[in-house]
Amino acid sequence: MHFDLVVLGILCAFIAYSLVTRAVDRSLLTLPIIFMCLGFALSEPLRTAAPPEVLDEGKRLLAEVTLVLVLFSDASHVQFSQLRQSWRLPARMLLIGLPLSIGLGTLVTFLVSPEGGVAMALLTAAVLTPTDAALGQSVVTSANVPEKLSETINVESGLNDGLVLPFVLLGAILASAGMANAATDGLALKAVLQIVLGPLAGIFTGWVVARLMDVAQARRLIAASAEGVVFLAAAFAAYVLATVIGGNGFIAAFVAGMIFGNSYRHNIRFVREFMEGAGLILTMSAFLVFGALLLPDGLAHASMKTVLIAVLFLTVVRVGAIWLSLLGSGLKTREKLFLGWFGPRGLASILFTLVIIDEFEFANEAELLACVSMTVALSIIVHGLSSTPLARWIGRVSGR
């Protein structure tokens, strides 16, 4: 009964938030702030009410389901035709800024905490590199922000979580292999197969489903209510196919979304509609689980080192890498700083951490959890509270 009451309280919170979403949008509060704090408040009741194995299985399932849908959805909205017209800034940030962020982050983490080794430093940097536009949604949607800046933020956040996956996988494999008595036979081959076969499964699934949906649309065989089912099935089909053939399912879901979004000839609005509706429950749940299960453990293992790493990732690492990637782009200093600052860490970092910790074993797991928890918690607060004021500021200085 106690567990039922906790679940009932969570469902009531979902209803209450949904009823006042417009009011929340006009305030400084954000969905991540609200549900992280709610999760933290419910941490003790939740741990008391449910067995540890139930919570572990539940958070792993939630992480995998949410990550597959987020990767597929984000990638499906990146249109190659639009990128041809305004590809330079996102390309600089993704092709130059992202590797720089991982490289600089690896260096910073190793210098601050050398006992973890280079592999753990790489894994930490990779997990903390992807950004989450949901934490600064008012920036992306604000009429005050120049279109080239909001579009750049949107494209970068949509693609960087998928592009960083191979680095996350590599860091996890190397960190796991570095443990005593670790079985490393065939590890390199397994890693290569995951990175190669994952995209192949994604390309096949995305293209086939897009073609089938085009035929169904042209012949008026599909009802509008069934389009969301196709989206769900396609995302998980890519994931499952990749795991069957030995590829990485998350990379497959990301590639499938990109191929589907650029091969499907009709309106793709149903993907956005699903993620803004039913998918919103997954997002709320993910931040609630972060506040309830990850943040308390992260705080328990936090130290001056982990706090310093978190602050450096949100400032020097992110802003420095983006600044360097945008040199010669013609952007003003304030615009480079604006793009550098709005690289909030959120859903992708949380989900990567949940999956990696469950799938691999490495010696400095507690420190990784603390670094991610501190970085995401600080990002949720500072980026969430600064998004609306800074959107107005950049609009004002840009004459909008």
Side-chain angles (χ1 to χ4, degrees):
M1 175 61 74
H2 185 44
F3 180 72
D4 291 340
L5 289 175
V6 174
V7 173
L8 179 61
I10 292 171
L11 294 174
C12 289
F14 287 172
I15 294 171
Y17 174 83
S18 302
L19 291 173
V20 295
T21 45
R22 286 190 176 181
V24 172
D25 288 342
R26 293 192 295 268
S27 72
L28 290 178
L29 294 176
T30 62
L31 180 153
I33 291 177
I34 293 171
F35 284 95
M36 178 186 71
C37 293
L38 175 64
F40 191 73
L42 291 175
S43 176
E44 193 59 35
L46 198 58
R47 290 172 187 265
T48 303
E53 59 271 15
V54 172
L55 294 179
D56 288 342
E57 287 297 322
K59 71 181 182 183
R60 169 64 189 264
L61 178 62
L62 173 67
E64 290 191 337
V65 169
T66 307
L67 187 54
V68 167
L69 294 179
V70 166
L71 289 169
F72 189 99
S73 173
D74 285 353
S76 69
H77 288 101
V78 178
Q79 297 296 308
F80 296 152
S81 57
Q82 295 177 1
L83 284 179
R84 291 192 195 101
Q85 300 171 3
S86 54
W87 60 273
R88 288 179 176 80
L89 293 180
R92 280 172 170 266
M93 293 174 70
L94 290 167
L95 300 180
I96 302 175
L98 187 146
L100 278 175
S101 292
I102 295 175
L104 184 57
T106 302
L107 177 62
V108 165
T109 304
F110 182 73
L111 291 176
V112 174
S113 183
E115 62 273 11
V118 176
M120 277 303 298
L122 171 62
L123 176 59
T124 303
V127 168
L128 291 177
T129 291
T131 61
D132 185 357
L135 291 178
Q137 189 62 31
S138 59
V139 171
V140 177
T141 59
S142 175
N144 295 316
V145 180
E147 186 177 351
K148 66 178 179 180
L149 298 184
S150 60
E151 186 176 323
T152 298
I153 293 172
N154 204 29
V155 171
E156 186 213 6
S157 64
L159 287 176
N160 64 10
D161 46 5
L163 295 177
V164 83
L165 262 171
F167 295 98
V168 174
L169 182 63
L170 176 63
I173 289 173
L174 292 176
S176 179
M179 289 187 65
N181 302 320
T184 58
D185 293 342
L187 197 60
L189 178 60
K190 179 183 176 182
V192 171
L193 288 176
Q194 286 215 355
I195 294 173
V196 172
L197 296 179
L200 291 178
I203 291 170
F204 175 80
T205 305
W207 187 86
V208 168
V209 174
R211 293 280 69 80
L212 291 174
M213 269 202 80
D214 279 329
V215 171
Q217 287 282 12
R219 298 184 181 181
R220 301 194 177 188
L221 298 174
I222 185 170
S225 58
E227 293 175 339
V229 176
V230 176
F231 156 57
L232 282 172
F236 290 112
Y239 177 88
V240 173
L241 176 61
T243 57
V244 167
I245 65 175
N248 184 273
F250 298 113
I251 296 176
F254 177 76
V255 174
M258 188 177 299
I259 297 300
F260 179 85
N262 287 275
S263 301
Y264 183 54
R265 297 193 181 102
H266 294 78
N267 196 315
I268 202 172
R269 68 186 184 283
F270 58 89
V271 175
R272 189 180 300 278
E273 289 172 355
F274 178 89
M275 292 303 290
E276 289 177 350
L280 188 62
I281 296 178
L282 292 175
T283 303
M284 291 188 287
S285 300
F287 282 108
L288 187 141
V289 166
F290 169 71
L293 303 180
L294 265 72
L295 185 56
D297 289 343
L299 289 172
H301 295 100
S303 63
M304 288 301 297
K305 287 183 178 181
T306 57
V307 173
L308 178 59
I309 289 172
V311 172
L312 290 174
F313 264 92
L314 295 177
T315 54
V316 175
V317 173
R318 164 69 185 186
V319 178
I322 296 302
W323 176 279
L324 290 172
S325 72
L326 295 174
L327 288 176
S329 65
L331 289 179
K332 297 180 175 64
T333 298
R334 60 173 177 265
E335 293 173 326
K336 294 176 186 175
L337 292 174
F338 186 82
L339 290 174
W341 173 246
F342 278 107
R345 308 316 198 275
L347 203 56
S349 295
I350 295 170
L351 299 176
F352 284 156
T353 303
L354 285 172
V355 172
I356 290 300
I357 285 179
D358 191 75
E359 192 168 329
F360 295 89
E361 290 185 8
F362 30 82
N364 291 70
E365 182 179 297
E367 185 170 286
L368 172 67
L369 180 61
C371 287
V372 173
S373 298
M374 292 297 96
T375 306
V376 173
L378 286 174
S379 183
I380 286 174
I381 295 170
V382 297
H383 287 112
L385 295 178
S386 66
S387 58
T388 298
L390 287 182
R392 292 171 181 164
W393 170 76
I394 196 70
R396 186 169 61 252
V397 297
S398 300
R400 294 178 68 85

